[in-house]
Amino acid sequence: MEKKDVKNLIDVIKADNLGQIPDNTGSSLLPKVIADKIISQLLEDNVVRRIFPKYTVPTTTRNLTVPVVVQGSNQVRVIGYGDDPTSGNQQTFTTKSIVLTPRLLTAWVEILEDDLETAGMDLAKEIRKSLTANLAEAEERAMLFGVYNASSGSYINAFDGIYTIASGASCATSPVTYTDSDKLSFKIANAKKALGVYGRQAAKLILICSTTFANKLRQEDVVYNQSYRVDSDVLKTGTLPPIYGVKVIETTHLDEKESGEVALLVRTDAFAIGDRKKIFFRSLETEVFKKKLIIAEELDFKAQLLNSSDKYEGIVLIHKGS
């Protein structure tokens, strides 16, 4: 990097630290150090994004193919010692893959140039934070109950979400239902059992639940009782402890489904995230004295624990029976 380029980059970083959104870098890509700050905020704001493994999709390719092991197919073979290998039957192996194709997610705001200039640099910084928070919310909603539609321009159709798969025909595990008289903690144990081998390691499981579901959990004696977990008094902190070793994550977005009577027990490797680790920023003149500030990223999200019947393992829906 030439000395002039280094100086320009330092100026951009200083401006960003002061709250100015850089729009004169000569590129719609923000410098990596600034992009990393925004990605860190996305990770902080979107609880779902923190859970699953991430793959970087190169900017030079449209997508990334990730080979997956087909769960449930017997690929272990015995070869007898001393046998003539040429006389045996040729072994065949099933291979599958998921294709991560990041789609563009954008958030923007229109603002009068005079407001941006006269309000001081803090306004620009708050706008960027607000746009990043909007992106994070869109990510989380799409990852939870998105329905993929290649021709749609809505973020909710960017990819299939966890709830969409767990409640659909492509899920290998049938939903676990409960009634008002059931203890939800016991139903979590049933869901863990229903996952079979995928439910054996509690450390690899996450329970994503609605606020409604979480509040009912808090009221169960086995959960709020201090003796359940000495270092976590639910009555004081409001924080739910692990249930049967499974960490609990609460999100208000799931309250939009089934009147909030819903939770998702999922393996931390059941889905994969593909992104380009780039943040785009553009400033456009839309009208006289008015400017549109746009922030964008490229992201994909796919289930990856396929079985030999083309159904997804490691996911189970817990919801109230009809």
Side-chain angles (χ1 to χ4, degrees), residues 119-131:
M121 293 181 290
D122 284 345
L123 178 61
K125 190 170 186 177
E126 290 306 312
I127 288 173
R128 192 192 70 187
K129 286 182 178 179
S130 177
L131 290 176

